[in-house]
Amino acid sequence: MITDRAVCVGILIAFALLVSILYVVFGQLTVKKLRKNPKTKDALGLEYVSGWDIINVAQALALPKEWSKKLEEGSLSFMHAKASLLLENTNKFDRILGFFFYWLLIFTGFCSVLLVFFNAIGIFVK
């Protein structure tokens, strides 16, 4: 018997698989190009772990310009990619790919946490 919880987990696994594919594709097509560009290689934000700059670049391309500007002007600006510079050095396809990757990553993570919470409080009954 297939339960609601199993369906939700299956959908989240499918989204996570899609996110992982988009992560690699976005990293290879866009971020690799930005790392090689002398103007943008130091504008990709703080890299906590290897590959974190891919998420920084996707965030810079996905957030509205006003939000990105606030992040660039804040006291923690060194942690974030410089959206204004990245927008000048990417094409429309790069921006669309970054937008879909970033928001699908955020959606999948949020829904995964929500699923764990709902399971812990007993929303899903056997």
Side-chain angles (χ1 to χ4, degrees):
M1 179 176 167
I2 297 177
T3 63
D4 293 341
R5 179 176 36 196
V7 171
C8 291
V9 169
I11 291 170
L12 285 174
I13 289 172
F15 281 161
L17 181 63
L18 183 58
V19 165
S20 64
I21 292 169
L22 288 175
Y23 177 82
V24 172
V25 170
F26 184 69
Q28 289 296 314
L29 294 180
T30 303
V31 179
K32 188 175 181 179
K33 173 178 58 175
L34 294 170
R35 284 179 188 143
K36 290 181 180 181
N37 186 341
K39 287 181 359 187
T40 59
K41 74 177 184 178
D42 294 326
L44 304 180
L46 181 67
E47 192 170 7
Y48 302 110
V49 294
S50 180
W52 196 270
D53 56 345
I54 297 171
I55 297 170
N56 283 341
V57 171
Q59 179 187 33
L61 298 177
L63 291 180
K65 291 179 185 178
E66 296 82 24
W67 294 7
S68 295
K69 188 172 182 170
K70 282 198 180 268
L71 290 173
E72 286 179 22
E73 295 171 353
S75 60
L76 299 175
S77 62
F78 67 94
M79 297 175 70
H80 303 283
K82 308 223 177 335
S84 54
L85 185 60
L86 297 180
L87 288 170
E88 294 173 8
N89 291 284
T90 54
N91 57 35
K92 188 77 168 173
F93 176 75
D94 293 333
R95 291 182 214 127
I96 291 170
L97 185 61
F99 179 87
F100 280 118
F101 161 64
Y102 181 74
W103 287 113
L104 190 59
L105 174 70
I106 296 301
F107 175 78
T108 304
F110 178 74
C111 288
S112 297
V113 170
L114 204 58
L115 181 68
V116 169
F117 174 72
F118 286 159
N119 190 51
I121 63 172
I123 298 289
F124 297 109
V125 181
K126 291 184 182 182

